[in-house]
Amino acid sequence: MASRIQIPATKYPVERFTLANGLRVVLSPDRSAPVVGVAVVYDVGIRSEPEGRTGFAHLFEHLMFQGSENLEKLAHFRHVQGAGGSFNGSTHLDYTDYFEVLPAGALERALFLEADRMRGPRLTEENLRNQVDVVKEEIRVNVLNRPYGGFPWLKLPPVMFRTFPNAHDGYGSFEDLESATVEDAQGFFDRYYACGNAVLSVAGDFDVAEATAMIERHFGDVPARPAPALPDFAEPDLDGERRESYVDRIAPLPAVAAGYRVPDPIGAFDAYLPFSVLAEVLTDGDASRLVERLVQRDRSVTNVGGYLGFMGDEYQVRNPTALLLQAHMPPGGDAGKVLDTIDEELDRLAADGLKPGELERTQARMATRLLHGTDEVLGRALPMAVLELQRGRPELLNELPKLISEVTAEQIVAAAATLRPERRATVEVKPGAGA
Amino acid sequence: MTSKTLPDLVPDAALTLPRQAERKLPNGLTVIAIRRESVPLVEVRLRIPFGRAPLAPATLLSQALFTGTGTMSMLDIAAELQAVGGSLAAGLDPDRLQISGNALADGLARTLEILAGVLTGATYPGEEVVTERERLVDNIQVALSQPAHLARVALLKRMYSTHPYAVQTPAPEEVHAVEPEALRELHADRVRPGGAILVLVGDIDPEQAIDVAEKTLGGWTGEARDGGVPPTPALQPGPLLLVDRPGSVQSSLRMALPALTRTDPDYAALTLANLVFGGYFSSRWVENIREDKGYTYGSHSVVEHFVAGSALLAAADVATEVTGPSLLETTYELGRIASLPPGEEELEQARRYALGTLRLGMSTQAGLAGLASVYAGFGLRLDHLREHSAALAAATREQVAEVAARHLAPSRAVTVVLGDAEKIEAQLSALTVVERSAQ
């Protein structure tokens, strides 16, 4: 085994301030390439949408692109792309983000666009109906018309959780989407899209003083509105194994996913972090425990993955969340047997501990992936915005490689010992396409 | 309501290319090393000519390349790479075997040592190969249930007929029949340094990185077999090919149109014509069938380049009940771009987008590595970015209109629609001649 490699860290500078209207701002300058990333995140996501309005947070994300106070429909897209940039947005369990990456000279334009829709999107009947249609096609292309659509992120939560915020379908039912009204949208905006409920972050090639002046200029007059009270979505841990299955009409082969509750990612970060490393010990690459056992030795699965957070956003999610393991199987595969083997491997890890070098090499690979992510301006702007929003600690992004490298073998073993069958929720995909 | 003005753009500074070095090693391998020290990593891309390789064994070889050498097991290879933060994986396209990965910058030498061990000593152990073979069969099975894959399979067949590019995924039973010995033979025959290109990008000194590559990969030798592929045939427009997928809740609309190679003098103009038509979100096609009519979540057109030819591919997945209307609007937008010059403002917008995204693509180590490697595969170097940028900046409305008339006219399109034939055949037949695919 090679001698232990030094885990490097990043030193991206972080400047934070809050405007008079309550908008929090994070700046991370880096002059090494002439590009900027701009992100605005709002502290509202799938878990906050009201009953009878499944999919609304995501539908609303679409409406934020449909024009605003000073911008016609289509103008946002044209102004970003006409400046040489790209844009997108995404809806998560606990936040909704909007972002652009552009040549550095387009920074002020991006700030103007984001400020304009923070003051007020154009919520019209025509735009709403158009985007309901677009979202239905999005659900068809990503879920209904595709094998394993929504597996496991839409399929496991209803098995694992009992409360509407945690358990419901974040893409939404067609019925709920179709019955959404402009009044619902206005109410959602008024409640959640307050500047006091948002963080703006900018990473990349800019001068801090100039960018600060631009931000004051464009966001300074957004009317002050406070954030709504942060809900608590906590619910009790499982008190017995829960197993469900469903037939996927077009899937040719079986699959299974299992989730185990993990400590509060924010309130108990020290206890949470070892689970992040454990997921990689179990599934990162051919030398990991479950790949070696299930794929190579037993051939009982064709691939297996493990991660924290239903959307893979492990450091950008609030409590409650889970460690997920998911596996696809060969024809005739037996999910029960796969789960039993996982239990056996977890027992072995808990009883015998890690092998020499196993933890270090996993940490080295995790560091590479973190660094790779932060090489993009949006790979800094987006997570820093969410880390500010949820923890007031955007600089945590720089600290993660070191914190991961400090996780000990004892912590991994202790974490593995908590992944018991009686605390597990699983969902099985039964192939409907006649494998 | 306040009225605010859109801020002006600050003009871009001149395009600067990163520090780089290149050397052709005595074994025939070309090494290109580029410094971008933004994070302490190094990106690795190796392209080995693989044209006309037998499809099933070549696909399995790409999946089983890292299953063992004379001195290392599959587990050793994975663990030793991981120990330097590294990971390598192989993939196949109709022209190349490609190995890609990254590692902590301090792990470059070790990563290349392991890579060299695999290139010169892969053994394709029986058990591991059989495992990979059955996984590949399962993966192909899953691909065959995906509408996007099935639509592409049908389109490629229609575009390329008997040309080697016509089939890019082997049948499950062909893969199932491949024995480990076939991989050893194919490796001995084709995994050779002649004509191969290694690109290294990251927090490295370019000259030193090439020295490391020369030292570690110098023992990889052997004659390369000619992997040349004959030029692709001209597209033959004909009836719309309807592929039945009973119960499908969407229709996958795919079109191929003629295109130009990266170095053609008209290529920049074609790039712009494609953007205005359907190549980015602010295109006419997206604004029409998504933002105006809500027929689709997304539509996109792109020029796809292979060594033996280029083609323009357009794709949209649309609601079953509006399959006909979606084809109508698509044909309308193709007809419009082929018949009338683009507006001045919309051309400027597409031009700024094209120039801006080139810069964005260069701003990360992985982006640079991908670009440098792709360019190198076509005999180009990073300085081609300057030439292409200049051509994009210079293309006129007239040139864009002229190239669009030649390439984007709907009469030139090869069209495939995959969907529930019962529900969509009549809709499509109202617009064009439809031929059902033989199942």
Side-chain angles (χ1 to χ4, degrees):
Chain A
M1 188 63 62
S3 64
R4 181 165 183 176
I5 196 151
Q6 204 67 33
I7 303 284
T10 50
K11 293 196 194 72
Y12 295 109
V14 178
E15 305 261 350
R16 306 165 63 205
F17 56 91
T18 303
L19 297 187
N21 58 15
L23 176 68
R24 284 161 285 171
V25 180
V26 178
L27 302 179
S28 183
D30 160 30
R31 311 306 296 250
S32 75
V35 301
V36 286
V38 175
V40 177
V41 296
Y42 294 89
D43 202 340
V44 60
I46 289 165
R47 287 204 253 223
S48 287
E49 56 202 12
E51 294 202 38
R53 283 284 166 268
T54 57
F56 198 82
H58 170 246
L59 175 63
F60 191 83
E61 174 214 318
H62 279 242
L63 295 177
M64 284 290 280
F65 288 93
Q66 295 288 306
S68 51
E69 219 167 80
N70 296 283
L71 293 162
E72 299 290 332
K73 180 177 165 96
L74 304 177
H76 183 93
F77 309 125
R78 290 175 178 174
H79 288 318
V80 174
Q81 296 196 311
S86 304
F87 61 85
N88 213 335
S90 63
T91 307
H92 298 246
L93 294 174
D94 296 310
Y95 67 96
T96 308
D97 61 31
Y98 300 87
F99 52 89
E100 292 87 38
V101 52
L102 317 99
L107 171 58
E108 188 164 8
R109 177 169 291 195
L111 296 172
F112 170 88
L113 296 171
E114 289 299 348
D116 211 56
R117 61 180 166 184
M118 188 178 284
R119 275 189 294 268
R122 287 194 189 193
L123 303 171
T124 69
E125 183 64 25
E126 188 187 351
N127 287 342
L128 174 62
R129 299 275 77 88
N130 168 244
Q131 291 304 308
V132 167
D133 284 346
V134 169
V135 167
K136 283 162 65 182
E137 290 317 298
E138 179 177 354
I139 294 169
R140 287 193 173 113
V141 80
N142 286 337
V143 182
L144 303 175
N145 209 38
R146 165 184 296 185
Y148 313 102
F151 173 77
W153 79 279
L154 294 177
K155 306 295 185 183
L156 192 52
V159 185
M160 183 143 203
F161 295 112
R162 290 287 181 256
T163 62
F164 175 83
N166 294 320
H168 76 273
D169 178 346
Y171 249 149
S173 71
F174 280 15
E175 193 188 353
D176 283 358
L177 291 168
E178 280 162 1
S179 64
T181 66
V182 170
E183 290 66 42
D184 295 331
Q186 190 61 53
F188 199 77
F189 179 80
D190 291 344
R191 181 165 169 77
Y192 294 113
Y193 278 69
C195 57
N197 205 33
V199 171
L200 162 70
S201 109
V202 183
D205 184 15
F206 59 87
D207 173 85
V208 171
E210 284 174 26
T212 303
M214 286 181 203
I215 289 165
E216 287 281 1
R217 192 148 66 231
H218 293 287
F219 288 90
D221 68 352
V222 176
R225 286 197 287 136
L230 196 63
D232 180 1
F233 298 121
E235 58 172 281
D237 197 358
L238 278 64
D239 49 14
E241 188 178 9
R242 292 183 199 158
R243 280 179 74 159
E244 283 180 25
S245 67
Y246 66 98
V247 175
D248 183 330
R249 181 177 65 79
I250 47 181
L253 297 171
V256 63
Y260 307 82
R261 291 276 293 277
V262 288
D264 181 343
I266 297 171
F269 187 59
D270 289 350
Y272 176 83
L273 196 58
F275 286 86
S276 165
V277 183
L278 171 62
E280 306 298 325
V281 167
L282 294 174
T283 63
D284 177 44
D286 288 333
S288 66
R289 297 235 164 179
L290 294 182
V291 175
E292 201 264 325
R293 173 72 193 270
L294 294 168
V295 179
Q296 302 302 334
R297 197 155 15 124
D298 294 359
R299 297 187 195 171
S300 56
V301 310
T302 46
N303 60 59
V304 56
Y307 51 97
L308 297 188
F310 289 87
M311 303 175 82
D313 41 9
E314 57 184 335
Y315 307 119
Q316 285 137 43
V317 68
R318 289 200 177 104
N319 197 50
T321 189
L323 184 150
L324 268 62
L325 297 171
Q326 71 178 92
H328 289 257
M329 289 173 275
D334 180 344
K337 224 170 105 188
V338 170
L339 293 169
D340 289 346
T341 313
I342 289 173
D343 289 336
E344 201 183 304
E345 286 302 315
L346 287 167
D347 286 345
R348 193 192 311 276
L349 181 54
D352 303 348
L354 291 153
K355 290 173 271 185
E358 188 177 7
L359 178 57
E360 291 80 359
R361 60 181 164 80
T362 303
Q363 289 162 326
R365 186 61 201 157
M366 289 178 81
T368 298
R369 277 209 302 274
L370 282 166
L371 293 165
H372 187 264
T374 57
D375 194 23
E376 288 181 68
V377 283
L378 279 178
R380 305 193 289 276
L382 270 168
M384 280 186 184
V386 181
L387 292 171
E388 168 65 33
L389 187 80
Q390 297 183 340
R391 300 163 188 258
R393 294 209 63 228
E395 64 280 2
L396 182 62
L397 189 66
N398 282 324
E399 298 161 10
L400 277 171
K402 182 164 180 289
L403 292 173
I404 284 167
S405 75
E406 288 168 357
V407 168
T408 65
E410 292 70 31
Q411 287 175 302
I412 303 291
V413 167
T418 70
L419 306 188
R420 307 302 313 156
E422 63 272 16
R423 295 185 57 245
R424 178 169 67 202
T426 63
V427 64
E428 255 180 79
V429 183
K430 305 228 182 233
Chain B
M1 185 178 278
T2 55
S3 180
K4 309 213 170 216
T5 1
L6 187 73
D8 289 335
L9 299 172
V10 180
D12 292 332
L15 189 70
T16 51
L17 297 178
R19 188 152 75 79
Q20 54 182 312
E22 175 172 343
R23 192 184 308 163
K24 188 164 180 176
L25 308 185
N27 62 2
L29 173 70
T30 299
V31 186
I32 299 171
I34 302 171
R35 176 167 176 78
R36 176 160 167 75
E37 69 273 38
S38 48
V39 283
L41 301 180
V42 60
E43 294 286 331
V44 177
R45 303 285 183 278
L46 174 64
R47 295 164 77 90
I48 303 168
F50 236 60
R52 282 185 302 166
L55 185 60
T59 309
L60 182 55
L61 181 144
S62 72
Q63 183 136 334
L65 186 61
F66 294 95
T67 51
T69 68
T71 56
M72 291 174 97
S73 69
M74 182 176 194
L75 196 73
D76 296 336
I77 294 170
E80 297 259 322
L81 278 171
Q82 217 181 14
V84 293
S87 161
L88 292 172
L92 187 78
D93 73 22
D95 298 315
R96 319 265 167 196
L97 178 68
Q98 308 184 58
I99 297 164
S100 319
N102 61 6
L104 295 168
D106 288 347
L108 173 63
R110 185 69 190 126
T111 302
L112 293 180
E113 270 171 32
I114 295 165
L115 176 60
V118 167
L119 293 169
T120 60
T123 48
Y124 302 98
E127 286 228 4
E128 285 81 347
V129 168
V130 169
T131 303
E132 293 306 318
R133 187 176 73 192
E134 299 318 306
R135 289 175 81 191
L136 179 58
V137 167
D138 288 351
N139 289 340
I140 293 172
Q141 205 81 272
V142 171
L144 291 173
S145 66
Q146 286 166 341
H149 178 82
L150 292 170
R152 183 171 171 86
V153 165
L155 183 70
L156 288 172
K157 198 100 212 277
R158 190 70 178 241
M159 290 168 68
Y160 295 120
S161 175
T162 58
H163 186 273
Y165 289 171
V167 181
Q168 301 185 4
T169 313
E173 54 277 14
E174 290 170 335
V175 173
H176 196 72
V178 177
E179 293 299 327
E181 188 51 33
L183 303 191
R184 291 175 204 126
E185 282 168 18
L186 182 61
H187 188 110
D189 195 31
R190 299 295 302 264
V191 182
R192 294 295 177 203
I197 301 158
L198 174 67
V199 171
L200 304 171
V201 178
D203 189 3
I204 53 172
D205 175 88
E207 283 294 340
Q208 279 175 18
I210 294 179
D211 289 343
V212 171
E214 176 148 19
K215 190 164 155 255
T216 49
L217 289 163
W220 180 32
T221 55
E223 281 304 300
R225 174 198 269 261
D226 170 25
V229 175
T232 55
L235 296 178
Q236 300 293 330
L240 179 152
L241 183 71
L242 173 58
V243 186
D244 190 17
R245 183 168 179 263
S248 197
V249 297
Q250 271 184 328
S251 300
S252 305
L253 167 62
R254 302 289 186 269
M255 283 183 173
L257 291 147
L260 297 166
T261 62
R262 291 179 189 279
T263 50
D264 190 287
D266 289 331
Y267 178 59
L270 179 66
T271 302
L272 295 169
N274 175 57
L275 287 175
V276 172
F277 159 67
Y280 70 145
F281 199 92
S282 300
S283 67
R284 295 171 176 185
W285 197 26
V286 177
E287 291 189 354
N288 181 340
I289 69 169
R290 173 178 152 132
E291 291 298 302
D292 185 44
K293 305 200 173 63
Y295 291 166
T296 183
Y297 175 53
S299 62
H300 191 62
S301 63
V302 64
V303 180
E304 201 175 83
H305 299 283
F306 288 117
V307 169
S310 304
L312 196 152
L313 302 179
D317 293 276
V318 302
T320 298
E321 61 271 23
V322 292
T323 305
S326 298
L327 176 65
L328 173 69
E329 296 302 330
T330 305
T331 309
Y332 164 73
E333 294 297 356
L334 286 170
R336 195 154 72 99
I337 189 80
S339 307
L340 296 163
E344 249 166 70
E345 182 44 41
E346 73 176 338
L347 178 59
E348 287 320 304
Q349 180 186 293
R351 194 194 311 276
R352 285 192 300 265
Y353 178 76
L355 291 167
T357 46
L358 285 178
R359 284 168 186 258
L360 298 184
M362 289 175 60
S363 68
T364 62
Q365 294 176 350
L368 259 179
L371 191 66
S373 173
V374 166
Y375 272 8
F378 291 88
L380 301 168
R381 295 297 182 263
L382 270 190
D383 57 8
H384 179 67
L385 272 171
R386 279 193 220 284
E387 293 156 39
H388 185 50
S389 296
L392 285 169
T396 64
R397 285 175 73 207
E398 291 67 33
Q399 286 169 329
V400 172
E402 191 277 327
V403 79
R406 269 193 287 137
H407 294 86
L408 287 166
S411 61
R412 311 289 302 269
V414 169
T415 307
V416 170
V417 177
L418 172 95
D420 191 333
E422 283 289 293
K423 296 195 177 128
I424 61 176
E425 184 161 20
Q427 298 182 43
L428 295 168
S429 297
L431 298 170
T432 187
V433 181
V434 174
E435 179 182 288
R436 282 254 205 153
S437 148
Q439 286 293 326

